[in-house]
Amino acid sequence: MSIMSYNGSALVAMIGKDCVAIASDKRFGIQGQTVSMEFPKIFEMGPQLYIGLPGLATDIQTVAQRLTFRVNLYELRENKRIRPKTFMSMVSNLLYERRFGPYFVDPVIAGLEPVTHKPFVASMDLIGCPMVTEDFVVGGTCSEQLYGMCESLWEPNLEPDDLFETISQSILNAVDRDALAGWGAVVYIIEKDKVTTKTLKARMD
Amino acid sequence: MSERYSFSLTTFSPSGKLVQIEYAINAVAAGAPSVAIKATNGIVLATEKKQSALHDETSLHKIEPIAKNVGMVYSGMGPDYRVLIRKARKLAQQYMLMYQCPIPTLQIVQRIASVMQEYTQSGGVRPFGVSLLMAGWDHDENRPYLYQCDPSGAYFAWKATAIGKNFVNGKTFLEKRYSETLELEDAVHTAILTLKESFEGQMTEDNIELGICDQNGFRRLSPSEVKDYLAAIV
């Protein structure tokens, strides 16, 4: 039994034209048994900055809460919104502080830069090794399936509506090949002036 | 050092003053003058460094970098300044370690001012006998910031200021000479002239120090660069 697959999760974030999208499944299970179909794994850290946390459910919640703590203090001290790249370093620092007793999460970050509105995605491992990409990042128990789906469906400069279609198909088909992830999905499309949340109609098995 | 004292040595007088801080400010006012001016494209720090002819002037500096984008100068007690330099440098690096970002000037000022305030309230210690002039370039906002930190822990943002001996005259001089459109080159010139007002004797590249903070970071000028600026004011 692997700790990272005790609860099950699917997370993906993609870059589009002047927008980013982040999607997750909604299952909360304890090994084989599904306990809830409304378990949030994506958290808002700023008006155009979101983090997705796949992995152990208790750590998903604790890391989200502790990050919110740090981000709030940062914004109060610095009197400004935190930038995606700085936020990524903050997450990395938080995880590495627990290097020898880590939080069992593999964060996925999606956001837009405050002034330039440049899209940003990043992911990291459970001890905080950051990875910034120009296309997409994935995480969770079906990350392999997600890599396959994203690699075939993604193309650069997708408009928000097309990005929504692409990310939705990627996550729906990937979780259908994973017993532990699925039971519904939610997508956030982040543009410079608004964030749209959509719940996907998925196979509920 | 302060393990044995559980009570503060800085206590209120009946009139509501903390005399130890007042005395610390007096120590600053007795120290060698320092001047700082914020221009549109950078900040200049200038200070008098009178040493006897026997001193090896290259081995001790008053203007010191704290991070690549922040530097500072002081008036008052040199040894107290050294402690603050170490603390400021460590705090700036801690920030870099966590955020992978150069520390914004206001952030390092607030942290150092907080340290200085601690020493007015903690057990068994005395306030720092220095006032600091901190100059930094904020890359996020792409502009310079100039702050003064006092022994009390109070900090002020300035466009131009003077501290140390004769600081009142220095500030009066700056009030007349300062303009919002001043550029760095002219600001250096003005800073040297402000120092000259209270300078006894001949100003040379060995008895003043200059520091510049601009988009490319903070650096102390070499004696030969100082000499060039001095030549312009003769």
Side-chain angles (χ1 to χ4, degrees):
Chain A
M1 187 205 75
S2 160
I3 320 142
M4 297 298 275
S5 57
Y6 186 71
N7 295 123
S9 46
L11 249 309
V12 56
M14 283 188 179
I15 285 190
K17 192 165 178 13
D18 302 324
C19 60
V20 282
I22 184 167
S24 80
D25 73 326
K26 291 165 67 168
R27 180 178 180 270
F28 166 47
I30 298 176
Q31 289 186 303
Q33 173 169 47
T34 302
V35 176
S36 165
M37 286 111 69
E38 297 291 342
F39 189 74
K41 293 166 199 153
I42 296 180
F43 304 91
E44 185 184 332
M45 293 286 151
Q48 268 94 27
L49 182 57
Y50 286 76
I51 185 166
L53 292 161
L56 193 63
T58 176
D59 286 351
I60 291 173
Q61 295 184 323
T62 304
V63 170
Q65 288 164 5
R66 292 200 166 164
L67 269 175
T68 309
F69 175 92
R70 290 199 189 195
V71 168
N72 286 344
L73 280 177
Y74 178 96
E75 296 192 343
L76 283 167
R77 252 187 259 120
E78 308 245 347
N79 200 25
K80 67 178 186 211
R81 293 264 173 228
I82 192 165
R83 295 163 71 191
K85 201 148 173 286
T86 313
F87 177 65
M88 180 187 77
S89 297
M90 183 191 264
V91 180
S92 172
N93 184 272
L94 186 146
L95 294 175
Y96 199 84
E97 274 176 2
R98 292 275 168 269
R99 171 65 177 81
F100 299 110
Y103 290 116
F104 295 105
V105 291
D106 284 329
V108 157
I109 297 167
L112 300 174
E113 280 280 332
V115 171
T116 57
H117 302 293
K118 188 167 178 294
F120 177 89
V121 293
S123 67
M124 61 190 74
D125 67 4
L126 76 174
I127 47 174
C129 176
M131 177 177 81
V132 181
T133 64
E134 301 293 320
D135 41 21
F136 52 83
V137 286
V138 304
T141 46
C142 57
S143 56
E144 307 278 291
Q145 294 92 321
L146 281 164
Y147 271 125
M149 288 306 310
C150 291
E151 198 63 57
S152 19
L153 296 182
W154 187 86
E155 54 188 64
N157 290 320
L158 287 165
E159 293 290 330
D161 292 331
D162 299 324
L163 186 67
F164 167 69
E165 287 300 324
T166 309
I167 201 174
S168 302
Q169 288 304 316
S170 299
I171 197 168
L172 284 175
N173 292 297
V175 303
D176 285 349
R177 284 276 185 186
D178 180 13
L180 298 173
W183 284 94
V186 63
V187 182
Y188 294 76
I189 301 123
I190 304 148
E191 297 167 70
K192 74 166 194 272
D193 47 0
K194 64 179 158 103
V195 174
T196 327
T197 314
K198 296 200 180 157
T199 316
L200 301 180
K201 185 158 171 282
R203 282 181 66 104
M204 301 301 271
D205 62 358
Chain B
M1 159 179 68
S2 51
E3 303 99 35
R4 290 177 212 122
Y5 284 84
S6 60
F7 50 88
S8 173
L9 304 175
T10 308
T11 47
F12 282 108
S13 75
S15 59
K17 286 199 279 195
L18 290 164
V19 249
Q20 278 300 295
I21 297 178
E22 308 266 321
Y23 297 160
I25 293 174
N26 291 347
V28 170
S34 297
V35 162
I37 303 178
K38 182 172 73 159
T40 55
N41 54 340
I43 299 177
V44 57
L45 300 175
T47 185
E48 193 185 287
K49 195 175 72 168
K50 280 251 186 73
Q51 295 170 320
S52 100
L54 294 173
H55 270 120
D56 178 352
E57 60 270 341
T58 56
S59 63
L60 184 70
H61 294 291
K62 291 181 68 176
I63 295 186
E64 289 283 0
I66 298 305
K68 290 205 177 68
N69 60 321
V70 181
M72 66 184 187
V73 73
Y74 77 103
S75 282
M77 296 172 62
D80 284 7
Y81 178 60
R82 279 203 309 267
V83 171
L84 288 171
I85 295 176
R86 280 183 77 88
K87 288 201 201 259
R89 286 175 174 166
K90 188 170 183 183
L91 288 165
Q93 288 311 307
Q94 278 170 349
Y95 188 97
M96 173 60 94
L97 188 61
M98 177 170 273
Y99 299 113
Q100 294 296 114
C101 238
I103 190 165
T105 319
L106 178 58
Q107 293 303 306
I108 184 66
V109 165
Q110 285 178 336
R111 283 162 175 70
I112 279 295
S114 175
V115 169
M116 292 171 88
Q117 191 280 339
E118 267 172 45
Y119 279 69
T120 67
Q121 222 177 357
S122 300
V125 296
R126 60 161 175 80
F128 286 97
V130 292
S131 269
L132 303 169
L133 290 176
M134 303 187 77
W137 184 274
D138 273 14
H139 287 283
D140 267 359
E141 298 179 45
N142 222 31
R143 56 159 287 190
Y145 277 100
L146 171 63
Y147 287 91
Q148 175 184 345
C149 291
D150 266 358
S152 60
Y155 59 89
F156 317 95
W158 290 105
K159 297 178 192 173
T161 189
I163 54 173
K165 234 185 298 229
N166 258 327
F167 73 96
V168 183
N169 292 342
K171 285 167 85 162
T172 319
F173 185 86
L174 283 169
E175 264 173 52
K176 295 197 202 92
R177 291 286 193 128
Y178 181 79
S179 112
E180 304 272 342
T181 56
L182 214 55
E183 295 224 337
L184 198 51
E185 291 298 307
D186 303 316
V188 178
H189 186 86
T190 311
I192 296 176
L193 288 175
T194 316
L195 271 188
K196 204 163 192 293
E197 290 285 299
S198 53
F199 204 93
E200 284 156 41
Q202 176 79 313
M203 256 211 266
T204 71
E205 68 272 17
D206 294 322
N207 54 28
I208 68 164
E209 263 187 30
L210 290 176
I212 301 262
C213 187
D214 61 13
Q215 202 163 23
N216 303 324
F218 177 86
R219 62 191 190 87
R220 183 176 52 236
L221 298 183
S222 68
S224 58
E225 287 170 304
V226 175
K227 201 166 172 193
D228 294 335
Y229 279 109
L230 284 173
I233 62 142
V234 164

